[in-house]
Amino acid sequence: MRFTDNRNITRWVIIAASFFIVISILWNTYSFFNIFKEDERKKVDLLVQSYQMINDTGGNFDVELPFRIVSNNTTIPVIMTNSRDSIVDFKNLPNAVETDPVRKQSYLQELKQAGSFVVLRIGQKDNPKLYYGSSLLLNNLKYYPITLVIIVILFATIVFIFYRASRMATQNRLWAGMAKETAHQIGTPLSSLLGWIEIMKADNVDETTVEEIEKDVHRLQIIAERFSKVGSEPVLQELDIVAETEKSFEYLRSRASRQVEFFFMSPNHPVPVMLNPELHSWTIENLVKNAIDAMKGKGRLDLIISENETFIKIKVSDTGKGIPKSQFRKIFEPGFTTKKRGWGLGLSLTKRIVEEYHKGKIKVLSSEVGRGTTMQASYKKQVKQ
């Protein structure tokens, strides 16, 4: 417990330090921005004074220094207008603005709205105005804090995703280990049950009874095999999906409530698909059991297999309570369940088996609240060479 607490404290210290560093960088950036802005303003004042000196001297004084100040301005965009508000001179405007009279006027309006101008006192009647804007450096600098915040958010998002993925990977390894241990533990009593079945056969116990017990023991073997495969890459083999599906369907039908009416329809010929039989059986079991639970053990359940040139589709329909459209995707999320009991892992595992292991697709084909649901799993058929 202390080790966990220390890790949490360290994590919060790192987060607090990172937050402090980001705030410091943003504050320094803001300070630099204000310094540059003030420096820019001083340059503009000096530029305006230089224009004023050039216009006021009338050639009686040396104007070399003001001319140098004006000519050395290569960053601050300026537009000079006369008393009639017509543009008479400009400098350092963006290239696209300089060559387009319409955009130049629009740029002037932007400077007017910003209120950045100085009146040049030249004579009594004509007092031109010098409008100025921010330099390219200043414009770029003001977006720097926003860029920094975006980078920090992206970095935090990446760290969170990595942390969650790492945590999920640890949980997956734990679940895989528990599943394999469960399979190992089930194996011991299964061996004993097989021995007892042989004894029952030797004692001439009723054949029907022994046969049913054998079916259940075989089912337990399949379940143990499923658990042993959790966390491992399943081996696929070319099998007749119709026969494999019907086998699982018939076993579930024989052990379901008599109040459920079962219907099965499929092509009358084998359809080869790359399958893992234990995992495919798990898929059918989850779909059928979910349908029975949705009907509360009373209603009609249809399993229909159809095919086209490329795909084979398995549809499981029930007359249960139905699913709201808003939950069509959520029902496949781990932990989502509408039952009072259960972990909400059945359809999540089914989706993983169908889509990740068998490269198929599973979805809620249709559903209406109070009338029933149809689930559909589709697989790619094996093309005959």
Side-chain angles (χ1 to χ4, degrees):
M1 178 66 73
R2 181 176 294 176
F3 177 70
T4 304
D5 290 342
N6 289 338
R7 285 184 62 183
N8 288 331
I9 291 170
T10 303
R11 187 180 302 150
W12 281 111
V13 168
I14 293 172
I15 291 171
S18 302
F19 181 76
F20 176 76
I21 291 169
V22 170
I23 294 298
S24 300
I25 293 173
L26 290 174
W27 175 254
N28 286 331
T29 302
Y30 179 73
S31 301
F32 282 133
F33 173 74
N34 286 330
I35 291 170
F36 277 118
K37 190 174 183 179
E38 184 61 28
D39 186 55
E40 203 93 332
R41 174 65 186 176
K42 289 178 180 178
K43 287 181 181 178
V44 171
D45 289 342
L46 189 60
L47 187 66
V48 170
Q49 291 174 24
S50 299
Y51 274 109
Q52 190 71 53
M53 286 181 64
I54 293 171
N55 285 281
D56 287 349
T57 57
N60 296 324
F61 298 97
D62 184 10
V63 292
E64 181 181 355
L65 180 59
F67 265 121
R68 285 169 71 185
I69 293 172
V70 171
S71 61
N72 284 338
N73 172 34
T74 58
T75 59
I76 302 170
V78 293
I79 295 179
M80 185 184 290
T81 63
N82 58 22
S83 57
R84 294 178 298 279
D85 212 25
S86 299
I87 297 175
V88 295
D89 196 12
F90 56 86
K91 192 174 184 181
N92 301 327
L93 303 185
N95 292 332
V97 174
E98 284 190 358
T99 56
D100 189 339
V102 176
R103 297 182 72 172
K104 197 184 298 178
Q105 284 293 334
S106 177
Y107 189 79
L108 175 61
Q109 292 303 318
E110 290 178 13
L111 296 181
K112 285 183 177 181
Q113 289 176 3
S116 304
F117 70 93
V118 176
V119 178
L120 299 176
R121 304 298 177 186
I122 304 174
Q124 297 293 325
K125 295 181 180 180
D126 194 10
N127 293 323
K129 292 180 181 178
L130 186 72
Y131 293 91
Y132 61 91
S134 299
S135 66
L136 181 63
L137 173 64
L138 198 61
N139 283 329
N140 289 340
L141 189 62
K142 71 182 179 183
Y143 294 113
Y144 178 72
I146 298 173
T147 305
L148 185 63
V149 169
I150 292 173
I151 291 172
V152 170
I153 291 172
L154 288 174
F155 178 76
T157 303
I158 292 170
V159 170
F160 173 74
I161 292 172
F162 174 78
Y163 172 74
R164 190 172 68 171
S166 176
R167 189 174 178 181
M168 287 180 66
T170 302
Q171 290 177 341
N172 286 340
R173 286 195 295 271
L174 177 63
W175 283 113
M178 290 177 63
K180 290 180 184 294
E181 179 62 21
T182 301
H184 176 72
Q185 294 294 337
I186 290 174
T188 303
L190 270 178
S191 299
S192 296
L193 286 172
L194 290 170
W196 282 108
I197 288 173
E198 293 303 318
I199 292 173
M200 290 171 70
K201 286 180 179 178
D203 290 344
N204 296 319
V205 176
D206 179 58
E207 270 188 36
T208 305
T209 303
V210 174
E211 187 178 327
E212 290 302 316
I213 293 173
E214 276 188 311
K215 287 181 182 178
D216 287 332
V217 170
H218 178 65
R219 191 68 180 175
L220 283 172
Q221 286 178 315
I222 292 174
I223 291 170
E225 184 71 14
R226 288 176 187 169
F227 279 108
S228 69
K229 291 181 184 296
V230 172
S232 306
E233 191 67 27
V235 177
L236 304 181
Q237 51 187 306
E238 187 176 310
L239 295 170
D240 175 15
I241 193 171
V242 174
E244 293 296 324
T245 303
E246 186 173 13
K247 189 193 307 179
S248 299
F249 181 82
E250 290 300 329
Y251 176 84
L252 294 167
R253 172 158 60 180
S254 66
R255 279 152 179 76
S257 167
R258 299 295 179 187
Q259 293 183 304
V260 177
E261 180 185 353
F262 286 86
F263 176 78
F264 181 88
M265 185 172 72
S266 67
N268 55 5
H269 58 84
V271 180
V273 172
M274 295 301 294
L275 285 179
N276 179 281
E278 290 84 11
L279 294 182
H280 179 67
S281 172
W282 203 349
T283 297
I284 301 304
E285 182 177 319
N286 280 333
L287 292 177
V288 170
K289 283 187 173 180
N290 271 358
I292 294 173
D293 288 343
M295 297 185 293
K296 296 183 179 179
K298 184 178 181 180
R300 178 185 169 97
L301 190 151
D302 296 345
L303 193 153
I304 299 173
I305 302 177
S306 59
E307 63 174 329
N308 56 31
E309 292 182 1
T310 309
F311 295 96
I312 184 162
K313 299 175 182 179
I314 300 174
K315 298 176 186 177
V316 178
S317 303
D318 63 64
T319 56
K321 59 185 177 181
I323 304 168
K325 197 166 185 178
S326 60
Q327 295 182 358
F328 277 18
R329 291 181 181 273
K330 291 180 71 175
I331 63 169
F332 295 106
E333 295 176 4
F336 180 85
T337 180
T338 57
K339 304 173 189 175
K340 292 182 179 179
R341 295 181 180 180
W343 289 9
L345 296 176
L347 285 177
S348 173
L349 284 168
T350 302
K351 184 178 178 68
R352 187 169 183 178
I353 291 169
V354 173
E355 298 190 354
E356 292 187 27
Y357 295 152
H358 292 103
K359 308 305 178 188
K361 289 287 181 184
I362 187 167
K363 63 180 180 180
V364 180
L365 185 64
S366 63
S367 186
E368 188 175 343
V369 176
R371 302 198 63 176
T373 301
T374 298
M375 304 288 294
Q376 176 179 282
S378 56
Y379 302 84
K380 193 170 184 180
K381 294 161 60 176
Q382 281 296 102
V383 180
K384 294 181 180 179
Q385 301 294 333

